[in-house]
Amino acid sequence: MRIDKFLKLSRIIKRRAVAKDLADQGRIEINDKRAKSAANVGTNDLITIHFGNKTLVVRVLKLAEIVKKDEAQDLYEVVSESYEQQDDKED
């Protein structure tokens, strides 16, 4: 399954177009390799997503073509979630 479609179906990212843009900007990795929007994702793959100052790492548990909203979180597990600290120094 394409990475942009998986991110939309799993509700990690709300719109497929946004997932496609993130991937094409090099902000998504599959198993520590940069992924374009057409890259395929499989079960047990680690997906790293860089949103601004937030980094989310999830493991793919299963793939499905159609997913109900309350079942979307069953497609993945969150491995880690981290935030970068920004320095608020004034000159």
Side-chain angles (χ1 to χ4, degrees), residues 86-91:
Q86 292 186 1
D87 295 332
D88 293 332
K89 295 180 182 176
E90 292 186 26
D91 295 329

Side-chain angles (χ1 to χ4, degrees), residues 18-41:
V18 173
K20 180 183 182 312
D21 290 344
L22 282 175
D24 291 342
Q25 292 170 8
R27 295 167 61 185
I28 296 177
E29 300 169 6
I30 301 173
N31 298 324
D32 296 324
K33 294 180 184 174
R34 283 211 170 142
K36 294 293 184 184
S37 57
N40 286 323
V41 66

Side-chain angles (χ1 to χ4, degrees), residues 1 3 25 28 43 45 49 57 62 74 78 81:
M1 173 179 292
I3 185 67
Q25 292 170 8
I28 296 177
T43 56
D45 283 348
I49 309 163
V57 180
K62 65 180 181 178
D74 297 337
V78 176
E81 188 172 0

